[in-house]
Amino acid sequence: MSDSMVAESAVLFYREGSSDKIYQLQLQPDTKTAGWVVNFQYGRRGSTLTEGTKTQKPVDFEVAAKVFRAAITQKKAKGYTEDTSGKVFAMSHNEENNTGIVPQLLNNIEEHDINAYIANNNFMMQQKFDGKRMMICMDSNGIKAINRRGLTCGFPDVIKEALLDEAPVSEFLLDGECVGEEYFAFDLLEYNGKDIRSLGARDRYDLLLEHFEGISPNNFQVVKCAMTPKNKRIMLDKVREDGNEGIVLKHKDAPYKPGRPNKLGDQLKFKFVATADVIVTAVNDKRSVAMAVYPDGRKADQQLINIGNCTIPPNHEIPKVDDVIEVRYLYAYPNGALYQPIYLGPRTDKEPYSCKVNQLKYKAGTEDEE
């Protein structure tokens, strides 16, 4: 073995809220061949870990070393650190990307709940867009986009230039969804240097509409809002008829609270189409990957539940084992398999433990329907 061919290992930690996870990675020679392999273990700290490999067969040292370092980079980009405290981004190369700003996350409601919210004058409705959740912040340090984990992220230049050229003030924080090269703003959290999260959703929306409506119509839109039962019903029917993803309901007097509430909360979402975040467990032949989810996403020693395979379109890169991806499907069978899954893209802002079986929607009439 050459002096430059040295076995390596890494141990990374992640702690946020109730999550306390460990990720182990080894670059080591294969005992049966002259090749090298990269193996990993992950799970909740103190529990039995799930094992896997980044190399389906032994490879040259240079290839294995590249896979090893890429895996470490990917985990650190998600907030893992060498610091045993597990503090997000502590002592990692992404420390400068930790903004400390995270969005409010929404719980799901079911079809039978919708009518009550439509009739309730305290709730307003907006269309839910099928894109990438993104907050945009502009201050004295410039303009940046922030993903749902609080990391700075890239966003289209046309959106950036539109806001730099046409934004009414030099300091603001928007919450919205990026779809291709268009940004759909649905909330305003900071304006002219003032934090307005404590204002009710209706007051924040009025400020958003007043100051940001009409900016670069081709690349920036303020999401429309329905306030009355009649207009909410019209919007619901229109969004459904047009084949869009769903709607969001917000209590008009509710402040903006980062994170996800334990109970339903004052901001809720309803999807017309079923989507799921799943874990890639294998890369098959003919551009297909195997998918799985956790029973409840909490215990690391639980076995993953296989939910079938999904074809990756030719215009997308094939995801790797251990990646989290998003798929759209019609329904899940009682055994968990997804019917007609369609690949939507990678979810670099999600962790494997967020991929739970209870997110699946089952075909009506089955005993496992939720």
Side-chain angles (χ1 to χ4, degrees), residues 22-36:
I22 185 171
Y23 186 89
Q24 301 174 164
L25 194 70
Q26 302 87 34
L27 167 64
Q28 56 195 34
D30 181 62
T31 57
K32 298 180 180 179
T33 69
W36 288 73

Side-chain angles (χ1 to χ4, degrees), residues 1 5-7 27-30 34-37 55 57-61 64:
M1 183 185 300
M5 297 167 60
V6 180
L27 167 64
Q28 56 195 34
D30 181 62
W36 288 73
V37 293
T55 48
K57 59 183 179 180
V59 296
D60 291 341
F61 174 81

Side-chain angles (χ1 to χ4, degrees), residues 185-218:
F186 51 68
D187 212 332
L188 179 63
L189 311 182
E190 297 178 15
Y191 181 75
N192 208 17
K194 183 180 179 181
D195 187 341
I196 60 173
R197 290 175 178 85
S198 61
L199 296 180
R202 172 65 186 271
D203 291 336
R204 297 195 311 273
Y205 180 77
D206 287 345
L207 288 170
L208 172 65
L209 197 64
E210 176 184 354
H211 297 293
F212 287 85
E213 177 75 359
I215 291 178
S216 187
N218 292 328

Side-chain angles (χ1 to χ4, degrees), residues 36-62:
W36 288 73
V37 293
V38 178
N39 298 325
F40 63 88
Q41 305 83 39
Y42 66 92
R44 187 170 181 83
R45 202 175 335 192
S47 299
T48 302
L49 302 182
T50 299
E51 299 182 359
T53 182
K54 294 285 186 181
T55 48
Q56 298 302 316
K57 59 183 179 180
V59 296
D60 291 341
F61 174 81
E62 291 78 11

